Amino acid sequence: MNALDFLIIGGGPAGLMAALAASDFGLKPLVIDENQKLGGQLIKQTHMFFGSKAERAGTRGFDIGIELAGEMEKRGIEVWNNSPAVGYYPDGTVAVLKNDKLHGLKPKAVLAATGASENFVTFPGSDLPGVYGAGAVQTLMNVYGIRPGQSVLMIGSGNIGLIVSYQLMQAGVKVQAIIEGLPNIGGYLVHASKIARAGVPILTGHTILEATGENQVTGAVISKIDDQWQPVAGSQQNIECDTICLAVGLTPLTEMLWQAGCQMNYVPELGGQVAWHDELMMTSIPGIFTAGDVTGIEEASTAMLEGELAGLGAAKYLKGDSKELQCRIDDTACRLAGLRAGPFGQKAREGKCKLAECRRT
Amino acid sequence: MRIETHPILDFQRGPKVTFYFEGRPVEGFSGETVAAALHAAGVKILRHSVKLNRPRGFFCAIGKCSSCLMEVDGVPNVFSCITPIKEGMQVRRQQGRGRITLD
Ligand SMILES: Cc1cc2nc3c(=O)[nH]c(=O)nc-3n(C[C@H](O)[C@H](O)[C@H](O)COP(=O)(O)OP(=O)(O)OC[C@H]3O[C@@H](n4cnc5c(N)ncnc54)[C@H](O)[C@@H]3O)c2cc1C
Ligand code: FES
């Protein structure tokens, strides 16, 4: 068993920022990730970020991933790739699988920055080959340079649906339509307009009735829906496509936090069950931190700042307070509040408020 | 199905690797996963489901949904979406729970 300050589970934007922030204040973190490459979802994101310069607006997601990974290397922060955390034991041991061998790590502080997994919707044919999660499409296209198919029906008009549609077009795939059950487009209007200008219809108030095809997707039947989400008779349309992409939300990957016995609360605004945490991202169990999508589905820029707070929180927990640390914490918290201030941060703001309430009762 | 030109990305593919799918040689590039390389070769059906024997493909690509289980070098239930290809690897579509060989 290794002696270890700070174990970070998950090398996405949240985990990497936590490692860098913690190392700024003298901790020696270890980052483990089950993936071959560091960066989490960032490695597949080819669009430029929004927000202020301080939050790397105008930089592409994968470049941020490379930058953060490079900084990790520069500082000599230890990283284990291909190493999933597979269990948390009551004495504080985290079991990590590396090279087919199980390692028991007993860190003084631990951060779960495990991200999220994609939601599914069921309809007849939804199990056919050719139905993909948006993340899978991004992985295939942007990591491996492989098209998922020739023509796609996108389900969901949130930012992920819109962005991945645009990326499909850049990869030379025809996007037949984007359908959305709600009466309004879910994501940023700038993204939606860009896609609409390129001639892709965005059909709000529509759902998919079925995917057609014997062995793989050959098409889809879609229909208008009324305000009870019932199909409107006579409005059915056949869409010719070999790929159906689901961009219908994400659910936090909370296994480690459940196993650790952290207080969990169901907050729909945050994407489901999440661990209660304080201002420095510490859960109900001292020394266990959480940050990023696993504590509420938002975006990479907020995940980075939450990660930074968790790293600073771990430093404070293990080394105590200092004026310098407190300044950094205040600055990071302020930037995070700034990112969440706009109308698109409303859901996260409400969710986080609800979560804060849960501890007081 | 490979993307040759892209406005933003430049794909640096590793050296070529030949593996076998249902006994037939398939070429992929080092660093690719089994499911990705098969996909590039036009193979979308990766297995047949346990109960209804329905075809299944790629869904999550991150080892979380079990949609892509295949038989790799005689071992069933391998997550083909996160398993890198290797020279000479034998990959087969899995039927149901797959066949296991016990010694
Ligand atoms: C398809 C898709 C498109 C998106 N597009 C955008 C976008 O355009 N702009 C934007 O701002 N945001 C986007 N997001 C959201 C953004 O990617 C996330 O908010 C952000 O990546 C969250 O960061 P994270 O560090 O919390 O999680 P992740 O980036 O998901 O990283 C989590 C990491 O943890 C690892 N992990 C999980 N479980 C374990 C375990 N048990 N053991 C070891 N490692 C583990 C994973 O391998 C992964 O590397 C998108 C998300 C998706 C799914
Ligand atoms: S595609 Fe989901 S586990 Fe492989």
Side-chain angles (χ1 to χ4, degrees), chain A residues 34 46 60 62 120 127 129 131-133 136 140-142 144-148 170-171 215-216 242-243 246 253, chain B residues 1-3 6-9 11 13 31-33 36 39-40 44-45 54-62 64 84:
Chain A
E34 61 188 3
T46 52
R60 298 185 195 281
F62 69 92
F120 192 68
D127 60 342
V131 178
Y132 302 78
L140 256 186
M141 278 192 310
N142 298 347
Y144 298 111
I146 297 166
R147 291 185 189 91
Q170 288 179 317
N215 286 317
Q216 54 191 60
D242 59 10
T243 304
L246 304 181
L253 275 171
Chain B
M1 300 247 244
R2 288 187 192 277
I3 304 167
H6 193 283
I8 295 165
L9 295 170
F11 298 107
R13 308 194 203 269
E32 286 179 351
T33 61
H39 209 98
K44 285 199 178 184
I45 304 171
R54 303 248 309 158
R56 288 288 154 82
F58 219 158
F59 177 73
C60 73
I62 53 168
K64 299 284 180 205

Side-chain angles (χ1 to χ4, degrees), chain A residues 259-337:
Chain A
Q259 287 190 37
C262 299
Q263 179 193 317
M264 303 297 289
N265 291 100
Y266 180 70
V267 185
E269 289 85 348
L270 299 177
Q273 294 277 0
V274 292
W276 179 88
H277 60 81
D278 67 11
E279 295 75 21
L280 292 180
M281 310 310 296
M282 188 152 82
T283 67
S284 60
I285 300 181
I288 301 186
F289 293 79
T290 178
D293 275 2
V294 68
T295 185
I297 306 300
E298 288 185 82
E299 24 174 51
S301 32
T302 44
M304 284 191 272
L305 288 174
E306 275 201 355
E308 195 172 331
L309 274 180
L312 300 171
K316 186 170 172 179
Y317 175 75
L318 292 177
K319 300 221 154 181
D321 216 350
S322 72
K323 202 168 156 210
E324 200 194 345
L325 179 58
Q326 197 52 50
C327 270
R328 178 80 182 271
I329 289 172
D330 293 344
D331 176 60
T332 308
C334 180
R335 282 157 61 204
L336 183 55

Side-chain angles (χ1 to χ4, degrees), chain A residues 43-254:
Chain A
I43 61 173
K44 358 177 166 165
Q45 294 175 359
T46 52
H47 67 285
M48 295 192 193
F49 276 52
F50 286 148
S52 64
K53 202 83 203 146
E55 288 3 303
R56 296 184 171 78
T59 308
R60 298 185 195 281
F62 69 92
D63 284 330
I64 298 176
I66 292 169
E67 197 183 307
L68 294 179
E71 188 59 31
M72 298 277 297
E73 207 179 312
K74 215 165 89 194
R75 297 196 199 180
I77 297 175
E78 197 178 354
V79 175
W80 293 4
N81 292 319
N82 294 314
S83 303
V86 292
Y88 187 96
Y89 292 85
D91 71 343
T93 301
V94 181
V96 180
L97 195 60
K98 184 190 179 196
N99 296 334
D100 293 327
K101 225 187 117 205
L102 210 49
H103 297 256
L105 303 178
K106 206 167 173 181
K108 295 187 193 118
V110 57
L111 166 64
T114 44
S117 71
E118 225 147 350
N119 294 347
F120 192 68
V121 276
T122 50
F123 45 83
S126 57
D127 60 342
L128 283 172
V131 178
Y132 302 78
V137 164
Q138 261 195 337
T139 306
L140 256 186
M141 278 192 310
N142 298 347
V143 178
Y144 298 111
I146 297 166
R147 291 185 189 91
Q150 311 284 342
S151 57
V152 176
L153 171 66
M154 177 66 67
I155 308 201
S157 71
N159 278 326
I160 294 185
L162 297 175
I163 288 171
V164 174
S165 293
Y166 191 68
Q167 293 176 357
L168 279 158
M169 288 154 35
Q170 288 179 317
V173 177
K174 176 137 180 62
V175 181
Q176 302 285 28
I178 300 176
I179 62 169
E180 165 65 55
L182 295 171
N184 298 310
I185 291 169
Y188 294 129
L189 226 55
V190 261
H191 291 324
S193 331
K194 208 161 154 186
I195 292 160
R197 273 201 306 276
V200 175
I202 304 180
L203 309 171
T204 53
H206 275 72
T207 194
I208 179 166
L209 298 181
E210 66 174 303
T212 54
E214 277 294 307
N215 286 317
Q216 54 191 60
V217 172
T218 54
V221 184
I222 65 168
S223 151
K224 267 195 192 135
I225 46 175
D226 60 23
D227 47 14
Q228 309 291 315
W229 283 70
Q230 293 307 309
V232 174
S235 70
Q236 290 189 6
Q237 261 187 73
N238 293 320
I239 303 271
E240 224 176 275
C241 59
D242 59 10
T243 304
I244 294 171
C245 182
L246 304 181
V248 292
L250 299 165
T251 300
L253 275 171
T254 49

